[in-house]
Amino acid sequence: MFALRSPSVAYDPAMTAPGLLHASHDPVTSPDPLDPLTRLLPSSPASAPAGPLTTAARLLAESLLGEMGDRWLHTRGVAERAAGLAAPLGVDADLLTAAAWLHDIGYAERTVVTGFHPLDGADHLTRGGWPVRVAGLVAYHSGARFVAAARGLSEALAVYPDERTVLADALTYADQTVGPDGARVDPASRYAEMLHRHGPCSWNARVDADRGPYLRAIARRVEYLLSFTEAGALP
Ligand SMILES: [Fe+2]
């Protein structure tokens, strides 16, 4: 099992994968700059110091996606975006940023089983002993459940918790505001580019009628919350 230091959130045991039921949740410690893992890390694009989940997630993401060109640039951009959203939205920065680093690992050749990247990514994390909440965030990011339903993969995805939280919204919003090359974009432009890139016969195009409004609603929720934080206080 992947040796992972404890997350900084109190995970619900009911949301823990079978293989992780006895994972220890020791008190959180800051990354040790003398830790060999920490010293091997690439420079972080995130503004906040990396927590233990983020540290491990960044290492795994780079090992799987680091040679994949734009996919890696996109991943770095989403991680940076997520790290910047955590404090304004009042969510766990370590969990959100870790999920952002990992959200597209299902595209890596070593993880592909079904060819549906949210599910393949989540399954890879589960095999590696990651907390099921991280796997669930990866499994359901950016409206994956609509494509899963169209592809007959809903049951496979349903082994993961589909949390409907501000944190899950923030992950999707980060993914939907960073383009394929890692540049910041608005959600509408990102969605239009995605549909164009995948083509009119793609799974994404086939579920557009349901997934499009779902993603737009997430963007509205997140931007509503951010408008209050920009004004100085959450509602
Ligand atoms: Fe992505």
Side-chain angles (χ1 to χ4, degrees):
M1 179 183 293
F2 183 80
L4 188 66
R5 283 178 287 183
S6 62
S8 59
V9 297
Y11 291 106
D12 179 353
M15 296 175 67
T16 303
L20 299 172
L21 284 174
H22 303 294
S24 64
H25 290 169
D26 298 328
V28 175
T29 55
S30 299
D32 179 355
L34 299 178
D35 183 325
L37 282 180
T38 304
R39 285 188 282 112
L40 283 172
L41 289 174
S43 58
S44 171
S47 54
L53 269 183
T54 298
T55 300
R58 194 168 60 220
L59 281 170
L60 177 59
E62 185 173 34
S63 73
L64 292 168
L65 304 174
E67 305 298 322
M68 291 183 69
D70 276 3
R71 183 62 60 193
W72 179 236
L73 294 177
H74 168 75
T75 295
R76 287 181 61 98
V78 174
E80 180 175 20
R81 184 74 169 121
L85 288 169
L89 295 175
V91 301
D92 187 302
D94 194 25
L95 177 60
L96 173 58
T97 311
W101 278 112
L102 298 167
H103 81 285
D104 274 349
I105 62 167
Y107 282 116
E109 191 175 337
R110 279 165 41 200
T111 70
V112 174
V113 176
T114 69
F116 182 47
H117 84 274
L119 177 60
D120 289 344
D123 286 347
H124 187 81
L125 293 171
T126 300
R127 288 191 296 273
W130 284 75
V132 76
R133 192 173 175 197
V134 177
L137 288 164
V138 169
Y140 288 97
H141 79 271
S142 292
R145 63 192 174 96
F146 298 103
V147 177
R151 295 181 62 164
L153 294 170
S154 292
E155 276 193 43
L157 210 63
V159 302
Y160 296 105
D162 180 11
E163 66 173 72
R164 311 290 176 93
T165 60
V166 175
L167 192 149
D169 280 356
L171 175 62
T172 288
Y173 187 74
D175 190 28
Q176 296 302 313
T177 52
V178 174
D181 61 354
R184 189 79 61 89
V185 293
D186 68 85
S189 300
R190 163 80 163 130
Y191 190 73
E193 183 280 327
M194 179 278 300
L195 283 181
H196 178 74
R197 178 162 40 89
H198 288 271
C201 297
S202 66
W203 290 111
N204 286 323
R206 292 186 216 183
V207 301
D208 171 47
D210 294 319
R211 184 171 176 245
Y214 174 84
L215 292 178
R216 287 192 288 276
I218 288 176
R220 281 198 300 273
R221 287 201 294 271
V222 170
E223 289 169 0
Y224 175 77
L225 290 174
L226 291 175
S227 72
F228 282 92
T229 60
E230 286 164 3
L234 277 169

